[in-house]
Amino acid sequence: MANTQVLRLIRAVDAADSPAELVKAVEDLAATGAEAAIPTLIAVLSYSNPRAARAAVDGLIKLDITAVPFLLEHIQEGSSYSARAWAIEALSGIGDPQGLETLLRATTQDFSMSVRRAAARGLGKLRWQMMASEQVLSGQSKVIETLFQAVQDSEWIVRYAAVVGLQGFAAAVFISCPSWVISIEMRLAQTAGSDDSLAVQARPCWPSSKFSPV
Amino acid sequence: MSSASSFENSGLSSASAGVCTLSLEQAIEYLRGSDLSLRVYAAWWLGRFRIDDIRAVAALSEALADEDDRTVAGGYPLRRSAARALGKLGNQSAVSALMSSLGCSDFHVREAAAQSLGILGAQESIAKLTELLKNEVAGTEASLEEPELIQPYDAVLEALGALGASAAVPVIETFLQHPVERVQYAAARALYQLSETASAARQYGDFLIQALSHQKLQLRRAALADLGAIGYLPAAGAIASALAENSLKLIALKGLLEKQLEQSEGDFLCEESVKVMQMMDALL
């Protein structure tokens, strides 16, 4: 797409003066898949318009690893918790291991439960094949340690996301590290039997992929 | 209800939630002391950490009659805070003091008292709550904010639904036509809970599903909270695709899932539960 066309769509986002117009403009901009759209899509994450933010996240996920450095910078800059949650969601959706440290920190240290939730989920979706092979093992051991912590979070939604994250992670290391899969199974059995929330207890009983431990 | 908008801004973050900065004795001392800001803080603290101790309940119940902490407009901040905290403590000995608070002139004190009585399952408050709904309690003043309401109808309706007050159904039904949508939703939520059969309840659940497409985000949030509270399974798809924050949609879906799990009793995961979990996973 021509740059002028992208620029026109960026202007339309800036000029939108109703929530519906904003949504439409963001959807159009996201559909371009243009790198130049990234800063604008990220700015939209801070507007309190969930539908526009959702469209921006989908657009950023489609831009894949190109969007990652921008997202990391945005998260570090100290955005509002809801903007941060959306950015973490985009990062999780992309699954680029460049985001590993950010996701690890967000899972256990962010004050917002929405951010911790999205980050815990993201740790189960990392594309390890994109990481330099000598770094994989140490990265993975941090992930399992962090998710074991998250499964004890004070908020049910973070524990729920950590269960899903652990299942996803187990599927990723099913062949390479079967011993981790066994410890995940044991940890999830404990959650199923003892979590305070019925929904979190139930989640490990449903394996979302055939490699997920029950 | 209001939990939707204050979600995650409830003061303490959960990262620091484990840190109890006060002790029970200190909180009670503050609560009975003369520093107004510390009194409100102590009341909030006792509720936040659910300090269910008979001394805490007694001190908070006393605070419901406080006359020192008044706003310019005549509100009672300490009473509001104490009434909310008493619901969180879950102690039945607070019921009679909370019932007296239903007659307080401050709208928000009545609102908090009604919510707490609903949480405490206080059957004995049904008659008084119904009087409030009919606006038969003397000396109560309307809310000062928009939309101006004579009584905290949504909180009262919610409590009556939770308490299974089937005798109040005819009065509650009149609120389905209330000019304030939030009040209509609360009436639908209560009527759903008070319906004798699932087929009679459906119309109220479906009414709340309609509300999920309201133009105003605030009202979509309210409908999400109501659907989660009643656990209306046919709403699952509409909740998942509603235009609102994922966090609120997840809470609503959790309500549906848990209702389903309770009904299927025990370790068996039915197809419906799995469907709800799939939707939740997609929102994480």
Side-chain angles (χ1 to χ4, degrees), chain B residues 49-98:
Chain B
F49 293 103
R50 297 176 202 274
I51 312 294
D52 182 14
D53 180 284
I54 192 68
R55 287 166 292 171
V57 177
L60 286 166
S61 301
E62 270 170 43
L64 289 179
D66 169 74
E67 286 293 347
D68 297 332
D69 192 8
R70 302 291 306 262
T71 63
V72 183
Y76 289 95
L78 178 61
R79 292 190 190 190
R80 295 173 190 173
S81 193
R84 276 192 288 269
L86 284 167
K88 294 198 172 113
L89 300 196
N91 195 308
Q92 295 299 321
S93 54
V95 168
S96 71
L98 284 168

Side-chain angles (χ1 to χ4, degrees), chain A residues 48 50-51 54 81 86 89 109-118 121 153-157 160-161 164 197-200 202-203 205-206 208, chain B residues 5 7-9 13-15 17 48 217 220-221 243-247 250-251 254 257-258 261-262 267 269 274 276-278 280-284:
Chain A
S48 56
R51 196 171 164 196
R54 159 71 31 221
Y81 76 80
W86 288 116
E89 207 175 314
Q109 288 173 28
D110 203 285
F111 84 86
S112 156
M113 65 175 107
S114 298
V115 175
R116 299 203 300 282
R117 175 250 296 165
R121 174 74 189 97
D153 195 279
S154 59
E155 297 292 342
W156 75 271
I157 189 58
Y160 187 99
V164 179
S197 148
L198 199 53
V200 181
R203 188 59 189 78
C205 308
W206 174 56
S208 44
Chain B
S5 50
F7 181 71
E8 277 188 294
N9 284 330
S13 70
S14 52
R48 172 64 180 81
L217 176 59
R220 297 197 297 272
R221 287 172 173 162
L243 301 176
E245 294 84 346
N246 283 7
S247 47
L250 283 162
I251 292 172
K254 176 189 189 239
L257 175 61
E258 296 195 333
L261 292 168
E262 279 160 18
D267 49 8
L269 274 189
V274 170
V276 176
M277 285 196 261
Q278 272 169 328
M280 290 174 72
D281 281 15
L283 293 168
L284 288 173

Side-chain angles (χ1 to χ4, degrees), chain B:
Chain B
M1 291 217 357
S2 57
S3 58
S5 50
S6 61
F7 181 71
E8 277 188 294
N9 284 330
S10 54
L12 267 197
S13 70
S14 52
S16 58
V19 189
C20 293
T21 41
L22 288 181
S23 66
L24 168 66
E25 289 73 20
Q26 216 178 351
I28 291 176
E29 198 186 310
Y30 284 165
L31 196 53
R32 293 192 166 132
S34 55
D35 183 326
L36 292 179
S37 63
L38 281 179
R39 295 180 73 188
V40 172
Y41 171 65
W44 172 84
W45 184 87
L46 289 167
R48 172 64 180 81
F49 293 103
R50 297 176 202 274
I51 312 294
D52 182 14
D53 180 284
I54 192 68
R55 287 166 292 171
V57 177
L60 286 166
S61 301
E62 270 170 43
L64 289 179
D66 169 74
E67 286 293 347
D68 297 332
D69 192 8
R70 302 291 306 262
T71 63
V72 183
Y76 289 95
L78 178 61
R79 292 190 190 190
R80 295 173 190 173
S81 193
R84 276 192 288 269
L86 284 167
K88 294 198 172 113
L89 300 196
N91 195 308
Q92 295 299 321
S93 54
V95 168
S96 71
L98 284 168
M99 278 174 62
S100 309
S101 294
L102 292 178
C104 180
S105 59
D106 181 350
F107 179 93
H108 293 293
V109 173
R110 300 197 298 283
E111 182 178 46
Q115 281 163 348
S116 292
L117 286 164
I119 296 168
L120 293 175
Q123 296 292 322
E124 57 269 56
S125 66
I126 289 177
K128 187 91 183 268
L129 286 165
T130 312
E131 280 173 36
L132 211 52
L133 209 52
K134 296 195 231 167
N135 201 21
E136 291 172 353
V137 180
T140 56
E141 287 163 19
S143 70
L144 298 165
E145 305 89 11
E146 288 291 317
E148 192 182 302
L149 290 172
I150 304 164
Q151 299 295 347
Y153 293 120
D154 45 353
V156 175
L157 290 163
E158 213 176 296
L160 286 169
L163 295 172
S166 39
V169 164
V171 195
I172 297 176
E173 277 172 343
T174 65
F175 284 88
L176 286 171
Q177 271 85 43
H178 196 275
V180 176
E181 281 112 329
R182 192 159 47 85
V183 174
Q184 294 172 14
Y185 302 172
R189 167 176 169 169
L191 290 167
Y192 180 93
Q193 291 167 318
L194 297 172
S195 294
E196 280 169 22
T197 63
S199 61
R202 254 186 95 140
Q203 54 174 313
Y204 305 115
D206 292 343
F207 178 82
L208 289 169
I209 292 182
Q210 292 291 315
L212 287 179
S213 13
H214 198 285
Q215 212 185 326
K216 289 191 187 140
L217 176 59
Q218 206 55 40
L219 290 172
R220 297 197 297 272
R221 287 172 173 162
L224 278 175
D226 288 330
L227 285 164
I230 61 175
Y232 187 53
L233 191 65
I239 291 171
S241 58
L243 301 176
E245 294 84 346
N246 283 7
S247 47
L248 300 180
K249 298 203 266 186
L250 283 162
I251 292 172
L253 288 172
K254 176 189 189 239
L256 270 53
L257 175 61
E258 296 195 333
K259 184 89 176 187
Q260 199 57 32
L261 292 168
E262 279 160 18
Q263 282 170 356
S264 58
E265 277 174 24
D267 49 8
F268 179 66
L269 274 189
C270 65
E271 200 186 324
E272 283 79 12
S273 296
V274 170
K275 271 190 199 149
V276 176
M277 285 196 261
Q278 272 169 328
M279 292 180 195
M280 290 174 72
D281 281 15
L283 293 168
L284 288 173

Side-chain angles (χ1 to χ4, degrees), chain A residues 3 40 50 68 75-76 84 91 110-111 125 129 183 187 207:
Chain A
N3 273 341
T40 307
V68 170
I75 293 163
Q76 275 160 14
R84 218 160 52 240
L91 204 58
D110 203 285
F111 84 86
K125 289 204 281 197
Q129 67 277 16
S183 40
R187 188 63 194 77

